């Protein structure tokens, strides 16, 4: 009787080990880099297809558990920075009065509001301006902020982000950004 238990236990453990090895060969973790930055969770290769986390691609992600589907919204957004009537990209340390002009096209779904914010090299974000949008939207529009004075206190890369809120109860999602380098 004891030999039967030993043989059955050995057989069960062998099958479990083989299943784990097979599962590992079917699903393989892969490194994921987006614009020179490694994504913490990476992606997976399953049966020859690569699967990556869609939230890492700077767009609005809408998951419907009822329909078991994901909707991804990423319009084309072009960001221009103006100091008066002059377009700029890099700045010197110190205070600067400027405004942000965003051109949005390819919008395939109605959205609730937009926001422009600046993030300093340490990761601190400050909202520049937001605006609720009307329900009679078009697939393209322009959004220009009021003149805004900001103190570029340290040298480094600052990010101007354009955010979309899909619905009134949703969070803002980054869909585009422009990098400003503050020089000495």
């Amino acid at each position: 009787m004891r030999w039967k238990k030993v043989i059955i236990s050995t057989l069960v453990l062998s099958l479990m080990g083989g299943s784990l090895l097979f599962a590992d060969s079917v699903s393989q973790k892969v490194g994921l880099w987006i614009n020179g930055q490694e994504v913490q969770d990476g992606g997976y290769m399953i049966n020859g297809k690569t699967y990556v986390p869609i939230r890492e691609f700077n767009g609005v992600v809408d998951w419907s558990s009822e329909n078991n589907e994901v909707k991804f919204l990423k319009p084309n957004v072009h960001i221009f920075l103006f100091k008066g009537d002059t377009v700029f990209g890099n700045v010197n340390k110190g205070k600067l009065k400027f405004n942000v002009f965003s051109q949005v096209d390819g919008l395939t779904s109605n959205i609730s509001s937009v926001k422009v914010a600046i993030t300093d090299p340490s990761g601190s974000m400050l909202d520049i301006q937001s605006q609720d949008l009307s329900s009679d939207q078009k697939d393209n529009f322009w959004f220009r902020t009021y003149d805004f004075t900001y103190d570029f206190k340290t040298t480094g890369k600052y990010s101007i982000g354009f955010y979309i809120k899909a619905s009134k109860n949703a969070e803002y999602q980054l869909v585009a950004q422009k990098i400003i380098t503050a020089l000495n």
Side-chain angles (χ1 to χ4, degrees), residues 124-157:
S124 295
M125 184 180 4
L126 178 65
D127 290 352
I128 294 175
Q129 186 176 331
S130 63
Q131 181 176 328
D132 290 338
L133 300 176
S134 66
S135 59
D136 58 332
Q137 294 175 21
K138 299 181 178 168
D139 65 343
N140 62 72
F141 62 92
W142 297 332
F143 177 69
R144 189 168 196 158
T145 66
Y146 301 114
D147 282 343
F148 175 78
T149 302
Y150 186 78
D151 190 2
F152 294 89
K153 295 178 182 173
T154 61
T155 59
K157 298 200 180 292

Side-chain angles (χ1 to χ4, degrees), residues 78-82 99-103 141-145:
H78 307 280
I79 301 172
F80 303 94
L81 307 171
F82 285 92
N99 64 68
V100 180
F101 176 84
S102 304
Q103 176 190 4
F141 62 92
W142 297 332
F143 177 69
R144 189 168 196 158
T145 66

Side-chain angles (χ1 to χ4, degrees), residues 67-136:
N67 301 336
N68 231 11
E69 65 184 15
V70 174
K71 292 182 181 176
F72 184 70
L73 176 64
K74 175 125 171 112
N76 296 318
V77 179
H78 307 280
I79 301 172
F80 303 94
L81 307 171
F82 285 92
K83 182 175 88 174
D85 290 337
T86 306
V87 177
F88 72 94
N90 293 334
V91 297
N92 292 319
K93 275 180 26 176
K95 291 186 178 185
L96 178 68
K97 185 177 184 178
F98 67 97
N99 64 68
V100 180
F101 176 84
S102 304
Q103 176 190 4
V104 180
D105 63 64
L107 187 61
T108 58
S109 174
N110 282 346
I111 57 176
S112 175
S113 62
V114 296
K115 167 176 94 166
V116 174
I118 186 167
T119 304
D120 68 16
S122 70
S124 295
M125 184 180 4
L126 178 65
D127 290 352
I128 294 175
Q129 186 176 331
S130 63
Q131 181 176 328
D132 290 338
L133 300 176
S134 66
S135 59
D136 58 332

